[in-house]
Amino acid sequence: MLRRRFLQHLAASPLFLALTENASAETVGNPDEAINLFDLRDAAEKNIAPQHWGYLMTGSDDDATVQANREGFNRFRIRPRRFNDVSKIDMSIEMFDRKYPSPIFLSPAGSQAAFHPQGELATARAAGAKGHQMILSTTSSTSVGDVAEAYGHPLWFQLYPTPEWPVTEGLIRRAEAAGCPLLALTVDTATHSNRETLAFAKRAVSVDCSVCHRYEFPESIGRKANFRGIDVSRLKTFQRGYDWKLIDRIRKTTAMKLVPKGVQTPEDAEECVRRGMDGVWVSNHGGRQLNSLFSTIESLPDIVQAVGKKIPILIDSGFRRGTDVFKALAIGADAVCIGRPYLWGLGAFGQAGVEKALDLFRAEMVYDMSLAGTPNIASITGAFVERR
Ligand SMILES: Cc1cc2nc3c(=O)[nH]c(=O)nc-3n(C[C@H](O)[C@H](O)[C@H](O)COP(=O)(O)O)c2cc1C
């Protein structure tokens, strides 16, 4: 009964409409058969337990920001130029002294063992093999040291602040020991959010989620890989926001680069520049935190103007197509991060599925850059996109 009501809720929700885009009638049996990311999504849904699927797909409240993130791309159109030499397409970029074959990075996502037994290790091997930057979540299933080894390149670490400085410092030291050159500071999670799609998914199954996820502190967090060996006994909650006092303290504690993740206004972006941040990451957490936000692609133009090329701009939330990536680069982003799409690949086929998700993004980008008349990333300028 509850499962039926959950399905009815899904069918009526904007999320469902977003989910059905480009759905094919059958699910694919191996990564090579996947025509697009939505093939991987459908194959993943078959493999992943409903409550974990709810965790993967959920937004907050009625998932309006999840939907807005997709709709936002339709407000921009590409303006192609016809007489350029596109016989060679080069989508390589350089950022923070590392060269990348493409500007497509992997956003941090917690608890990836929920989607595939090899979790972050499979993701790391795929991202490492294809040369994409991986950013590991504070709440990963596998520790930053082990994931860094599997990745084989400098791994970035995403840091959730905790109300207890010694715990936060312990996480920073662990990331340093793993050789991470950069911390992504997630600034949009001052508290939990109202994740109704997840709540409906949990209610629809008879599994007792508290077996795996006991929400009392400090036990639950102490069992997470990156917290092992750190004294979490004083931790009463995981959530707190970042303020500049805390960021300044982190700055004094580590030489790692600092990039706030979750910026959505030009005011905050400007402040990041003024305060000496190394980059700014435009994100609304894939629509999972505050609801009723603009899509990140719509927020991007004002942020680009505020930052004025002083520091790199990363962006995520809702990117599913090469044309989405192209538009962000044209508006002025330096790299595009993807979340759910590679997790779909992971859930569908493990490492091979993550590789396929990344291949699809790059393959679509080759089409898009060729057809738009932009042979390299530097040539994708504001002249190639127009707001409707
Ligand atoms: C299952 C899941 C877990 C996530 N966990 C984290 C996390 O631990 N830390 C974080 O900063 N962002 C987390 N995010 C947000 C992503 O980093 C990213 O901002 C978002 O997924 C991008 O949107 P997209 O999924 O539409 O591509 C998570 C997202 C998902 C889907």
Side-chain angles (χ1 to χ4, degrees):
M1 172 63 184
L2 283 175
R3 190 179 170 89
R4 200 168 70 232
R5 276 182 44 203
F6 170 58
L7 293 174
Q8 281 166 354
H9 160 82
L10 254 191
S13 82
L15 176 63
F16 182 77
L17 297 178
L19 293 186
T20 52
E21 69 179 326
N22 296 73
S24 79
E26 290 174 7
T27 54
V28 294
N30 69 67
D32 292 340
E33 289 174 18
I35 291 170
N36 60 28
L37 292 169
F38 306 103
D39 270 343
L40 295 175
R41 175 198 65 201
D42 296 345
E45 187 177 7
K46 273 190 158 177
N47 292 350
I48 296 176
Q51 65 278 20
H52 294 162
W53 185 248
Y55 167 62
L56 204 171
M57 297 304 286
T58 196
S60 58
D61 299 351
D62 57 4
D63 294 340
T65 307
V66 177
Q67 193 184 12
N69 281 335
R70 291 299 303 134
E71 288 170 355
F73 292 106
N74 287 329
R75 310 236 153 81
F76 297 86
R77 295 292 180 195
I78 294 170
R79 299 180 69 248
R81 296 304 300 273
R82 299 302 183 203
F83 307 106
N84 299 338
D85 178 3
V86 288
S87 51
K88 276 201 199 101
I89 294 297
D90 174 9
M91 68 178 84
S92 65
I93 62 157
E94 194 172 332
M95 189 183 289
F96 302 132
D97 301 327
R98 184 176 160 192
K99 286 203 165 88
Y100 299 93
S102 87
I104 297 157
F105 294 2
L106 286 77
S107 293
S111 308
Q112 293 185 24
F115 312 131
H116 188 273
Q118 286 171 16
E120 291 86 0
L121 292 175
T123 299
R125 289 183 189 119
K130 302 280 173 177
H132 295 256
Q133 182 61 56
M134 176 176 180
I135 300 102
L136 186 74
S137 165
T138 297
T139 57
S140 54
S141 316
T142 306
S143 74
V144 60
D146 290 345
V147 177
E149 206 177 307
Y151 181 49
H153 305 275
L155 181 69
W156 295 0
F157 187 71
Q158 173 267 322
L159 184 71
Y160 279 135
T162 77
E164 293 294 324
W165 173 252
V167 177
T168 306
E169 189 181 15
L171 291 168
I172 293 171
R173 297 290 174 237
R174 178 152 283 168
E176 282 174 338
C180 298
L182 184 147
L183 289 177
L185 310 174
T186 300
V187 293
D188 56 13
T189 52
T191 186
H192 294 292
S193 58
N194 180 35
R195 298 183 177 180
E196 287 186 8
T197 294
L198 171 59
F200 280 114
K202 281 200 214 160
R203 201 174 68 176
V205 294
S206 52
V207 185
D208 177 6
C209 294
S210 67
V211 173
C212 301
H213 315 277
R214 272 183 292 124
Y215 288 108
E216 321 86 61
F217 275 80
E219 293 83 4
S220 52
I221 205 67
R223 284 184 288 122
K224 285 277 174 195
N226 290 319
F227 290 82
R228 281 188 207 123
I230 296 175
D231 179 8
V232 293
S233 57
R234 288 159 59 90
L235 214 54
K236 300 281 178 289
T237 166
F238 187 30
Q239 304 292 323
R240 68 152 287 170
Y242 276 108
D243 52 27
W244 286 109
K245 221 170 116 196
L246 177 59
I247 294 180
D248 287 344
R249 193 169 187 186
I250 294 171
R251 177 59 102 203
K252 288 193 187 103
T253 302
T254 180
M256 281 187 281
K257 292 195 174 359
L258 303 183
V259 175
K261 169 180 183 279
V263 170
Q264 264 217 276
T265 60
E267 296 92 315
D268 280 346
E270 225 166 56
E271 204 168 358
C272 287
V273 175
R274 207 172 44 246
R275 300 264 187 175
M277 294 296 97
D278 297 287
V280 60
W281 188 330
V282 183
S283 173
N284 58 34
H285 218 102
R288 296 160 77 82
Q289 286 300 112
L290 181 60
N291 201 32
S292 207
L293 296 179
F294 280 112
S295 66
T296 54
I297 195 77
E298 288 171 288
S299 305
L300 184 61
D302 289 345
I303 292 176
V304 168
Q305 206 179 7
V307 169
K309 293 198 183 305
K310 293 188 194 88
I311 51 176
I313 298 175
L314 296 88
I315 185 170
D316 74 18
S317 299
F319 287 78
R320 305 290 180 263
R321 289 286 183 188
T323 50
D324 303 338
V325 176
F326 184 95
K327 289 174 188 176
L329 298 174
I331 294 168
D334 297 286
V336 168
C337 309
I338 55 165
R340 293 180 187 87
Y342 81 83
L343 299 172
W344 294 336
L346 177 67
F349 302 111
Q351 177 182 343
V354 179
E355 288 188 23
K356 181 66 187 186
L358 297 169
D359 290 347
L360 283 167
F361 266 109
R362 287 195 318 279
E364 288 190 20
M365 274 294 280
V366 171
Y367 284 132
D368 302 332
M369 289 173 70
S370 308
L371 293 170
T374 52
N376 51 48
I377 299 294
S379 66
I380 307 177
T381 64
F384 286 82
V385 73
E386 187 172 318
R387 197 171 190 145
R388 283 161 98 196

